[in-house]
Amino acid sequence: MAEAIYPVPSEWAKNALIDAARYEDMYARSLEDPEGFWRGEAQRIDWIKPFSVVKQTSFHEADFGISWFTDGTLNLSANCLDRHLAERGDAVAILWEPDDPKNPERRITYRELHEAVCRFANLLKARGVKRGERVTIYLPMVPEAAVAMLACARIGAIHSIVFAGFSPDALGGRIQDCDSRIVLTSDEGLRGGKKIALKANVDEALKACPGVDTVIVLGHTGADVPMVKGRDIDWASAVSEQSAHCPPEEMNAEDPLFILYTSGSTGKPKGVLHTTGGYSVWASMTHEYVFDYRPGQIYWCAADIGWVTGHSYVVYGPLMNGATTVMFEGVPNFPDPSRFWQVVDKFQVEIFYGAPTALRALMREGDDWVKKTSRQSLRLLGSVGEPINPEAWSWYHEVVGEGRCPIVDTWWQTETGGAMITPLPGATALKPGSASKPLFGVKPMLLDNDGTVLDGSTDGCLVIADSWPGQMRTVWGDHERFFQTYFTTFPGYYFTGDGCRRDEDGYFWITGRIDDVINVSGHRMGTAEVESALVAHPAVAEAAVVGMPHEIKGQGIYAFVTCNAEIEPDEELRRDLIKWVRHEIGPIATPDVIQFTPSLPKTRSGKIMRRILRKIGENDFSNLGDTSTLADPSVVDNLIAGRPQPA
Ligand code: 6R9
């Protein structure tokens, strides 16, 4: 069947910042003359001291290093706030929509945001926070979360945001890993009408973090939460005592900006570190070009600030570009599945950027929820987090966008800082399900398992051949792990962990992770993390976790569990294990299927054969591949016979 192709609508081709010819031209120049290209693009930033060096990067072991605009200095919060004050101080920077639509929205202007950030920055300084120090943020989707991020950037502190859906254990581990002595939180969070006990979670987490001496607590729902004397302080009253004047610190381009923990194929989550200059250029450039953003437009990225998409496309990218950025506290289906589109109408949103998992969930509820809203303000739609299946793409395009709005399917990662492979609305004909073409400076290549470069239309492992400004710089506290994880599978290349197909038109189609990372509702999860949570349970001897296809979540979690000898697994244990994993990691790690098995398929050398488990997880027994190297091939038949069907 021929693939559907959606040409660039003519008004987009005419009016967009970048049309097809300009894209080709800029892309070619970005690869032929990176120095010149980036020297030009970097002018979008207000530098305090201009840089003289553009790019010093190598992916090779002998001279490995990644550094951009090295001798320049800047402050990111000044680029998001101060420089807009003269021209658009009274324009709305953050348009906040609460969880409950009956509660009032908040409109925070650039001037108000600037003042709030200065006061909070002064509070951090008053609590002794210094340049380079790590500040852990565990907040719901409220404007104060953005205030906290920008205040850290203002004084040169490194923020580490932990998604407010993570458990106390996961939070505690992240606080310890980056050695943070200050935590910002709120009494409670609110999502879909349900309260989340954030402060209680912090109290629980801090039992294992004796180094934390300050917790700043935002009153959000007004719940009465116990405060620890000397350690816990009330956000509002502490901030009111602070001056609204706080000069931005002069930061070097390569000074750390933030840490964000993300899952890999092995071990505990890695603290992905981004630095100031390159990240700023990348977040601002990609936000402007991918969304064809012009100041004054109402823009909504529905991601949580706990994920990288929230960092780059709710806060930093839009604010650098003087946008009005919508921040939504709630969930797509509360109070009903019309909520997204009601908010679009309410704020007259022009650009909407969301995740396939939410679209699939809404699609299932039927078109009426969409059709009862107007959505006439929408001009452009975006997708991120996982491959978007053509059915969901078509629904997004036809039903939500009424065939009028291009869809930018943006492929990128926590590690890349911002979008990497994506259509540009005025330049790229769309193929549903394809992230299409690389952005400026991005050189994607496909390799086979042996590292041979593949040409033409083919399937392979997706690598990036050269550095781009928004690239992560290290794993916090473990530079060797950074090199090992990303640059040794294919020496000389950045390995993304994704599989990919390139078609005859040079379009890229991401096929999903090829390492032991699964993507559940657009959230990255290392199978190893779920396994170690399971084996920490006293009844469990061994566990292996794989992804399984899931209609809404994209992938679900399938766990094979072997119990200790004296244990007789039953329904109660299954429920207990599910509760246990939710407690150890958080609700996003809830296993969809747990299959108890007396043993796992292993090679004679004792390695679990995940390939076989994946097939069983997929309910596909036709092509199990070579099972002759198994120590006991009968294990496989037993696994197939005992496969529970998910509810
Ligand atoms: C931004 C973000 C990264 C992984 C990535 C890939 C998958 C993200 C995608 C996509 C296909 C897209 N992914 N966007 N796959 N098409 N448009 O999601 O970062 O949480 O680090 O996840 O997500 O597998 O490697 P992160």
Side-chain angles (χ1 to χ4, degrees):
M1 203 182 79
E3 279 153 357
I5 299 188
Y6 295 76
V8 177
S10 61
E11 64 279 22
W12 276 93
K14 261 201 310 270
N15 302 322
L17 290 168
I18 296 178
D19 63 13
R22 182 129 194 265
Y23 166 76
E24 293 299 340
D25 184 57
M26 284 175 74
Y27 184 70
R29 200 164 87 82
S30 74
L31 296 194
E32 282 153 21
D33 175 23
E35 298 265 337
F37 183 87
W38 292 111
R39 191 174 291 284
E41 276 301 332
Q43 301 317 315
R44 58 177 58 252
I45 293 299
D46 283 354
W47 298 89
I48 299 170
K49 182 168 142 293
F51 55 87
S52 64
V53 203
V54 174
K55 176 177 189 280
Q56 290 165 310
T57 68
S58 163
F59 291 172
H60 295 276
E61 186 159 19
D63 57 351
F64 181 70
I66 299 163
S67 162
W68 286 85
F69 315 118
T70 317
D71 55 349
T73 67
L74 73 159
N75 183 283
L76 178 50
S77 100
N79 272 281
C80 289
L81 301 169
D82 306 47
R83 69 156 160 180
H84 299 312
L85 294 183
E87 211 181 313
R88 61 178 77 87
D90 298 318
V92 176
I94 297 178
L95 196 44
W96 181 72
E97 171 71 6
D99 183 58
D100 184 341
K102 291 199 282 299
N103 289 332
E105 75 266 14
R106 288 168 66 187
R107 293 169 192 267
I108 300 166
T109 65
Y110 273 93
R111 202 177 314 286
E112 289 162 344
L113 187 60
H114 177 260
E115 182 182 325
V117 168
C118 287
R119 283 189 202 278
F120 196 74
N122 282 329
L123 172 60
L124 291 177
K125 284 203 277 193
R127 296 299 297 197
V129 176
K130 300 265 176 329
R131 268 174 92 115
E133 195 173 324
R134 278 78 54 214
V135 174
T136 298
I137 301 179
Y138 187 65
L139 279 168
M141 281 292 282
V142 290
E144 285 76 8
V147 169
M149 294 165 76
L150 291 160
C152 289
R154 196 160 189 90
I155 65 173
I158 306 169
H159 58 71
S160 164
I161 303 187
V162 180
F163 175 58
F166 275 124
S167 69
D169 269 16
L171 170 64
R174 286 158 174 77
I175 292 171
Q176 286 167 351
D177 185 80
C178 71
D179 227 341
S180 161
R181 64 167 186 87
I182 176 160
V183 179
L184 317 178
T185 192
S186 70
D187 46 8
E188 293 176 322
L190 205 51
R191 272 167 69 86
K194 290 198 207 69
K195 290 177 169 161
I196 306 154
L198 297 182
K199 172 62 164 61
N201 283 355
V202 170
D203 290 339
E204 177 67 26
L206 293 193
K207 287 183 187 157
C209 306
V212 173
D213 62 28
T214 299
V215 179
I216 305 181
V217 186
L218 177 73
H220 179 47
T221 63
D224 190 16
V225 293
M227 300 286 273
V228 175
K229 234 181 142 205
R231 188 195 74 180
D232 299 353
I233 55 180
D234 173 62
W235 188 302
S237 52
V239 148
S240 68
E241 291 161 13
Q242 298 298 328
S243 142
H245 176 73
C246 176
E249 280 283 311
E250 179 172 357
M251 305 305 292
N252 292 308
E254 285 298 340
D255 279 339
L257 175 66
F258 67 81
I259 298 168
L260 183 57
Y261 286 88
T262 192
S263 300
S265 46
T266 54
K268 54 181 179 131
K270 297 181 285 280
V272 166
L273 185 103
H274 282 287
T275 59
T276 311
Y279 174 82
S280 299
V281 171
W282 194 252
S284 136
M285 181 192 84
T286 54
H287 175 263
E288 182 185 9
Y289 293 159
V290 173
F291 300 107
D292 196 63
Y293 190 81
R294 323 292 168 90
Q297 295 177 337
I298 312 288
Y299 158 92
W300 179 14
C301 166
D304 193 283
I305 45 128
W307 312 113
V308 72
T309 309
H311 285 61
S312 301
Y313 299 117
V314 175
V315 179
Y316 288 125
L319 294 180
M320 272 187 278
N321 293 335
T324 297
T325 181
V326 175
M327 197 172 181
F328 178 42
E329 183 185 23
V331 295
N333 58 359
F334 177 82
D336 62 49
S338 201
R339 187 69 189 281
F340 269 179
W341 325 120
Q342 283 161 3
V343 176
V344 164
D345 284 354
K346 175 173 174 186
F347 294 143
Q348 292 294 294
V349 170
E350 290 164 74
I351 304 162
F352 176 81
Y353 189 30
T357 183
L359 299 173
R360 285 191 298 264
L362 295 178
M363 192 170 132
R364 200 175 57 161
E365 304 290 337
D367 298 357
D368 289 351
W369 295 108
V370 186
K371 288 187 170 155
K372 63 198 246 190
T373 61
S374 155
R375 287 157 289 109
Q376 277 309 306
S377 57
L378 284 176
R379 298 186 325 115
L380 179 61
L381 300 169
S383 172
V384 60
E386 55 183 313
I388 178 165
N389 46 310
E391 299 72 32
W393 195 100
S394 297
W395 185 80
Y396 201 22
H397 190 255
E398 302 314 321
V399 180
V400 176
E402 296 175 333
R404 178 181 76 238
C405 310
I407 296 177
V408 287
D409 174 2
T410 61
W411 174 85
W412 58 293
Q413 312 179 294
T414 306
E415 292 88 338
T416 70
M420 299 285 281
I421 301 181
T422 173
L424 297 181
T428 321
L430 305 173
K431 299 189 187 189
S434 170
S436 77
K437 300 275 188 142
L439 276 173
F440 309 127
V442 176
K443 201 174 169 197
M445 290 173 73
L446 301 183
L447 308 184
D448 71 10
N449 289 332
D450 305 323
T452 307
V453 175
L454 304 169
D455 294 318
S457 87
T458 182
D459 256 307
C461 307
L462 178 65
V463 301
I464 312 290
D466 196 2
S467 184
W468 63 98
Q471 186 171 25
M472 74 182 280
R473 300 297 196 262
T474 193
V475 170
W476 178 259
D478 199 347
H479 198 55
E480 179 58 24
R481 188 171 173 204
F482 176 51
F483 181 74
Q484 285 297 330
T485 306
Y486 301 103
F487 303 95
T488 55
T489 315
F490 301 110
Y493 297 98
Y494 167 78
F495 178 42
T496 64
D498 280 322
C500 186
R501 174 167 75 86
R502 185 176 46 218
D503 70 15
E504 55 292 344
D505 297 323
Y507 275 50
F508 290 88
W509 301 71
I510 308 297
T511 50
R513 301 289 305 198
I514 46 182
D515 53 9
D516 289 320
V517 172
I518 50 182
N519 191 325
V520 182
S521 301
H523 303 318
R524 260 166 82 166
M525 187 93 44
T527 51
E529 272 168 81
V530 187
E531 286 164 8
S532 62
L534 284 166
V535 294
H537 188 282
V540 175
E542 199 169 31
V545 168
V546 296
M548 58 181 268
H550 189 287
E551 212 187 317
I552 305 288
K553 302 190 215 176
Q555 278 188 301
I557 298 177
Y558 195 119
F560 297 87
V561 171
T562 304
C563 293
N564 287 318
E566 70 283 9
I567 304 284
E568 206 36 74
D570 58 7
E571 201 40 46
E572 194 187 327
L573 178 60
R574 189 193 311 276
R575 277 198 297 270
D576 193 48
L577 287 179
I578 288 176
K579 224 168 90 196
W580 176 269
V581 174
R582 290 171 64 95
H583 180 266
E584 293 276 302
I585 304 175
I588 56 173
T590 308
D592 295 275
V593 177
I594 292 181
Q595 177 169 5
F596 293 111
T597 170
S599 49
L600 292 165
K602 290 186 184 169
T603 61
R604 286 186 193 86
S605 61
K607 266 181 103 104
I608 296 175
M609 283 186 84
R610 290 173 179 280
R611 177 171 56 77
I612 291 174
L613 295 178
R614 276 188 214 114
K615 284 281 178 194
I616 295 172
E618 287 164 13
N619 219 351
D620 170 9
F621 316 129
S622 58
N623 189 8
L624 290 176
D626 181 14
T627 53
S628 63
T629 54
L630 282 174
D632 174 10
S634 74
V635 171
V636 177
D637 297 331
N638 292 334
L639 280 173
I640 293 174
R643 187 190 193 279
Q645 293 306 317

